[in-house]
PDB file of all heavy atoms in Angstrom:
ATOM      1  N   SER A 321      -8.931  32.794 -18.028  1.00 96.00           N
ATOM      2  CA  SER A 321      -9.493  34.046 -17.587  1.00 96.00           C
ATOM      3  C   SER A 321      -8.523  34.839 -16.673  1.00 96.00           C
ATOM      4  O   SER A 321      -7.745  34.212 -15.925  1.00 96.00           O
ATOM      5  CB  SER A 321     -10.800  33.832 -16.803  1.00 96.00           C
ATOM      6  OG  SER A 321     -11.241  35.043 -16.302  1.00 96.00           O
ATOM      7  N   LYS A 322      -8.454  36.102 -16.844  1.00 90.00           N
ATOM      8  CA  LYS A 322      -7.572  36.964 -16.089  1.00 90.00           C
ATOM      9  C   LYS A 322      -8.188  37.470 -14.776  1.00 90.00           C
ATOM     10  O   LYS A 322      -7.537  38.099 -13.953  1.00 90.00           O
ATOM     11  CB  LYS A 322      -7.110  38.171 -16.921  1.00 90.00           C
ATOM     12  CG  LYS A 322      -6.492  37.788 -18.227  1.00 90.00           C
ATOM     13  CD  LYS A 322      -5.216  36.955 -17.997  1.00 90.00           C
ATOM     14  CE  LYS A 322      -4.527  36.622 -19.332  1.00 90.00           C
ATOM     15  NZ  LYS A 322      -3.464  35.616 -19.151  1.00 90.00           N
ATOM     16  N   ASN A 323      -9.448  37.151 -14.594  1.00 91.00           N
ATOM     17  CA  ASN A 323     -10.142  37.703 -13.403  1.00 91.00           C
ATOM     18  C   ASN A 323     -10.535  36.601 -12.419  1.00 91.00           C
ATOM     19  O   ASN A 323     -11.649  36.539 -11.900  1.00 91.00           O
ATOM     20  CB  ASN A 323     -11.436  38.471 -13.832  1.00 91.00           C
ATOM     21  CG  ASN A 323     -11.001  39.685 -14.695  1.00 91.00           C
ATOM     22  OD1 ASN A 323     -10.205  40.447 -14.332  1.00 91.00           O
ATOM     23  ND2 ASN A 323     -11.711  39.768 -15.899  1.00 91.00           N
ATOM     24  N   ILE A 324      -9.587  35.677 -12.213  1.00 97.00           N
ATOM     25  CA  ILE A 324      -9.850  34.598 -11.282  1.00 97.00           C
ATOM     26  C   ILE A 324      -9.180  34.859  -9.958  1.00 97.00           C
ATOM     27  O   ILE A 324      -7.919  34.975  -9.891  1.00 97.00           O
ATOM     28  CB  ILE A 324      -9.341  33.230 -11.819  1.00 97.00           C
ATOM     29  CG1 ILE A 324      -9.920  32.945 -13.210  1.00 97.00           C
ATOM     30  CG2 ILE A 324      -9.556  32.099 -10.864  1.00 97.00           C
ATOM     31  CD1 ILE A 324     -11.377  32.576 -13.230  1.00 97.00           C
ATOM     32  N   LEU A 325      -9.949  34.967  -8.911  1.00 97.00           N
ATOM     33  CA  LEU A 325      -9.409  35.187  -7.573  1.00 97.00           C
ATOM     34  C   LEU A 325      -8.905  33.903  -7.020  1.00 97.00           C
ATOM     35  O   LEU A 325      -9.066  32.814  -7.606  1.00 97.00           O
ATOM     36  CB  LEU A 325     -10.487  35.764  -6.634  1.00 97.00           C
ATOM     37  CG  LEU A 325     -11.119  37.083  -7.093  1.00 97.00           C
ATOM     38  CD1 LEU A 325     -12.240  37.496  -6.132  1.00 97.00           C
ATOM     39  CD2 LEU A 325     -10.068  38.207  -7.165  1.00 97.00           C
ATOM     40  N   LYS A 326      -8.288  33.953  -5.832  1.00 95.00           N
ATOM     41  CA  LYS A 326      -7.764  32.778  -5.196  1.00 95.00           C
ATOM     42  C   LYS A 326      -8.526  32.682  -3.820  1.00 95.00           C
ATOM     43  O   LYS A 326      -8.389  33.556  -2.949  1.00 95.00           O
ATOM     44  CB  LYS A 326      -6.260  32.968  -4.910  1.00 95.00           C
ATOM     45  CG  LYS A 326      -5.553  31.698  -4.439  1.00 95.00           C
ATOM     46  CD  LYS A 326      -4.042  31.992  -4.396  1.00 95.00           C
ATOM     47  CE  LYS A 326      -3.266  30.821  -3.798  1.00 95.00           C
ATOM     48  NZ  LYS A 326      -1.843  31.132  -3.650  1.00 95.00           N
ATOM     49  N   ALA A 327      -9.303  31.597  -3.666  1.00 97.00           N
ATOM     50  CA  ALA A 327     -10.149  31.487  -2.530  1.00 97.00           C
ATOM     51  C   ALA A 327      -9.670  30.466  -1.490  1.00 97.00           C
ATOM     52  O   ALA A 327      -9.425  29.331  -1.798  1.00 97.00           O
ATOM     53  CB  ALA A 327     -11.585  31.005  -2.989  1.00 97.00           C
ATOM     54  N   SER A 328      -9.554  30.976  -0.255  1.00 97.00           N
ATOM     55  CA  SER A 328      -9.300  30.112   0.875  1.00 97.00           C
ATOM     56  C   SER A 328     -10.584  30.234   1.780  1.00 97.00           C
ATOM     57  O   SER A 328     -11.587  30.809   1.383  1.00 97.00           O
ATOM     58  CB  SER A 328      -8.083  30.546   1.660  1.00 97.00           C
ATOM     59  OG  SER A 328      -7.692  29.572   2.647  1.00 97.00           O
ATOM     60  N   ARG A 329     -10.533  29.645   3.003  1.00 97.00           N
ATOM     61  CA  ARG A 329     -11.694  29.630   3.867  1.00 97.00           C
ATOM     62  C   ARG A 329     -12.260  31.065   4.078  1.00 97.00           C
ATOM     63  O   ARG A 329     -13.465  31.285   4.047  1.00 97.00           O
ATOM     64  CB  ARG A 329     -11.346  29.032   5.220  1.00 97.00           C
ATOM     65  CG  ARG A 329     -12.445  29.182   6.297  1.00 97.00           C
ATOM     66  CD  ARG A 329     -12.068  28.492   7.579  1.00 97.00           C
ATOM     67  NE  ARG A 329     -12.415  27.053   7.508  1.00 97.00           N
ATOM     68  CZ  ARG A 329     -13.555  26.516   7.908  1.00 97.00           C
ATOM     69  NH1 ARG A 329     -14.524  27.299   8.420  1.00 97.00           N
ATOM     70  NH2 ARG A 329     -13.791  25.237   7.842  1.00 97.00           N
ATOM     71  N   MET A 330     -11.406  32.012   4.392  1.00 97.00           N
ATOM     72  CA  MET A 330     -11.885  33.346   4.728  1.00 97.00           C
ATOM     73  C   MET A 330     -12.543  34.042   3.561  1.00 97.00           C
ATOM     74  O   MET A 330     -13.383  34.971   3.753  1.00 97.00           O
ATOM     75  CB  MET A 330     -10.722  34.269   5.221  1.00 97.00           C
ATOM     76  CG  MET A 330      -9.752  34.697   4.145  1.00 97.00           C
ATOM     77  SD  MET A 330      -8.619  35.980   4.754  1.00 97.00           S
ATOM     78  CE  MET A 330      -7.854  36.466   3.233  1.00 97.00           C
ATOM     79  N   ASP A 331     -12.198  33.640   2.313  1.00 98.00           N
ATOM     80  CA  ASP A 331     -12.758  34.325   1.121  1.00 98.00           C
ATOM     81  C   ASP A 331     -14.166  33.824   0.689  1.00 98.00           C
ATOM     82  O   ASP A 331     -14.848  34.492  -0.020  1.00 98.00           O
ATOM     83  CB  ASP A 331     -11.767  34.137  -0.046  1.00 98.00           C
ATOM     84  CG  ASP A 331     -10.376  34.500   0.315  1.00 98.00           C
ATOM     85  OD1 ASP A 331     -10.144  35.746   0.524  1.00 98.00           O
ATOM     86  OD2 ASP A 331      -9.468  33.654   0.430  1.00 98.00           O
ATOM     87  N   LEU A 332     -14.503  32.578   1.090  1.00 98.00           N
ATOM     88  CA  LEU A 332     -15.654  31.944   0.501  1.00 98.00           C
ATOM     89  C   LEU A 332     -16.937  32.742   0.664  1.00 98.00           C
ATOM     90  O   LEU A 332     -17.648  32.946  -0.334  1.00 98.00           O
ATOM     91  CB  LEU A 332     -15.833  30.555   1.087  1.00 98.00           C
ATOM     92  CG  LEU A 332     -14.851  29.476   0.644  1.00 98.00           C
ATOM     93  CD1 LEU A 332     -15.101  28.166   1.363  1.00 98.00           C
ATOM     94  CD2 LEU A 332     -14.990  29.246  -0.897  1.00 98.00           C
ATOM     95  N   PRO A 333     -17.294  33.257   1.833  1.00 98.00           N
ATOM     96  CA  PRO A 333     -18.566  33.961   1.953  1.00 98.00           C
ATOM     97  C   PRO A 333     -18.616  35.215   1.073  1.00 98.00           C
ATOM     98  O   PRO A 333     -19.676  35.550   0.505  1.00 98.00           O
ATOM     99  CB  PRO A 333     -18.701  34.285   3.415  1.00 98.00           C
ATOM    100  CG  PRO A 333     -17.341  34.115   3.996  1.00 98.00           C
ATOM    101  CD  PRO A 333     -16.610  33.134   3.168  1.00 98.00           C
ATOM    102  N   VAL A 334     -17.493  35.927   0.990  1.00 98.00           N
ATOM    103  CA  VAL A 334     -17.507  37.181   0.187  1.00 98.00           C
ATOM    104  C   VAL A 334     -17.573  36.868  -1.308  1.00 98.00           C
ATOM    105  O   VAL A 334     -18.347  37.464  -2.052  1.00 98.00           O
ATOM    106  CB  VAL A 334     -16.184  37.969   0.456  1.00 98.00           C
ATOM    107  CG1 VAL A 334     -16.167  39.275  -0.384  1.00 98.00           C
ATOM    108  CG2 VAL A 334     -16.075  38.317   1.914  1.00 98.00           C
ATOM    109  N   ILE A 335     -16.779  35.904  -1.780  1.00 98.00           N
ATOM    110  CA  ILE A 335     -16.770  35.550  -3.179  1.00 98.00           C
ATOM    111  C   ILE A 335     -18.150  35.029  -3.615  1.00 98.00           C
ATOM    112  O   ILE A 335     -18.655  35.356  -4.713  1.00 98.00           O
ATOM    113  CB  ILE A 335     -15.629  34.553  -3.458  1.00 98.00           C
ATOM    114  CG1 ILE A 335     -14.258  35.260  -3.381  1.00 98.00           C
ATOM    115  CG2 ILE A 335     -15.785  33.850  -4.779  1.00 98.00           C
ATOM    116  CD1 ILE A 335     -13.069  34.374  -3.410  1.00 98.00           C
ATOM    117  N   LEU A 336     -18.745  34.186  -2.811  1.00 98.00           N
ATOM    118  CA  LEU A 336     -20.083  33.626  -3.159  1.00 98.00           C
ATOM    119  C   LEU A 336     -21.121  34.744  -3.151  1.00 98.00           C
ATOM    120  O   LEU A 336     -21.990  34.854  -4.080  1.00 98.00           O
ATOM    121  CB  LEU A 336     -20.470  32.520  -2.205  1.00 98.00           C
ATOM    122  CG  LEU A 336     -20.102  31.086  -2.636  1.00 98.00           C
ATOM    123  CD1 LEU A 336     -18.591  30.944  -2.854  1.00 98.00           C
ATOM    124  CD2 LEU A 336     -20.580  30.085  -1.610  1.00 98.00           C
TER     125      LEU A 336
END
Side-chain angles (χ1 to χ4, degrees):
S321 177
K322 302 301 180 188
N323 299 310
I324 305 290
L325 301 176
K326 189 176 176 183
S328 190
R329 171 177 276 268
M330 72 169 188
D331 308 291
L332 286 176
V334 180
I335 287 170
L336 267 58

